[in-house]
Amino acid sequence: MQRTLILLKPDGVQRRLVGTIIERLERKGLRLAGLKMVQATPELAARHYAVHQGKPFYDSLLQFLTSGPTVAMVWEGREAVAVARALMGPTDGTKAPPGTIRGDFALSVQNNLIHGSDSPETAAAEIALWFRPDELVEYQPVDAGWIG
Ligand code: IDP
Ligand code: MG
């Protein structure tokens, strides 16, 4: 079963969209494996977005991710990485189609509410960055046979 790291970035918390966004992931059938609220340090933000170091928006992006609390989650399910990315929509809120999280709630490129890992390999590294192994919970959802 594939896992992905999802962050509800500080704009999602400030705009009180945490419940709305979690509901979309939950109703798709993904299984919540871990959840916590984190005030990201500059070090954590820099490690999370290391791939973007040197880009024009990098400093602003770190400022954004450390500007308030983030809700960090691990979601699990068949093709969880791609499924979560599809639910999120493309990076730029103005280009994200209606029906996606960014398409419905974001207008900005930077303040686009949600992060989702972009590959299973990235997901493994990002989950290890944000969660200790004992913070992830194994259980069998009672409807697993219906959702697959
Ligand atoms: P993604 O979150 O859709 O995977 P990435 O290209 O990995 O997008 O960029 C990481 C984050 O950096 C984005 O979610 C967004 O917050 C921010 N970002 C990306 N491109 C830009 C830009 O051109 N201007 C400002 N912020 C950007
Ligand atoms: Mg990305």
Side-chain angles (χ1 to χ4, degrees), residues 9 49 52 57 61 64 85 91 102 109-110 112 115:
K9 300 195 259 192
Y49 278 133
H52 297 298
F57 59 84
L61 181 58
F64 166 52
R85 296 279 296 186
T91 309
R102 288 164 168 172
V109 183
Q110 177 185 272
N112 58 7
H115 166 85

Side-chain angles (χ1 to χ4, degrees), residues 46-65:
R47 289 179 69 188
H48 178 75
Y49 278 133
V51 68
H52 297 298
Q53 200 172 356
K55 294 185 184 168
F57 59 84
Y58 177 73
D59 288 346
S60 171
L61 181 58
L62 293 203
Q63 189 73 36
F64 166 52
L65 192 61

Side-chain angles (χ1 to χ4, degrees), residues 66-124:
T66 56
S67 66
T70 289
V71 173
M73 299 179 285
V74 175
W75 288 85
E76 192 175 275
R78 197 160 73 82
E79 300 292 339
V81 168
V83 166
R85 296 279 296 186
L87 291 173
M88 287 159 53
T91 309
D92 183 345
T94 65
K95 302 200 170 53
T100 65
I101 293 163
R102 288 164 168 172
D104 285 351
F105 303 112
L107 198 57
S108 168
V109 183
Q110 177 185 272
N111 300 357
N112 58 7
L113 299 166
I114 183 166
H115 166 85
S117 307
D118 61 11
S119 73
E121 296 71 32
T122 312

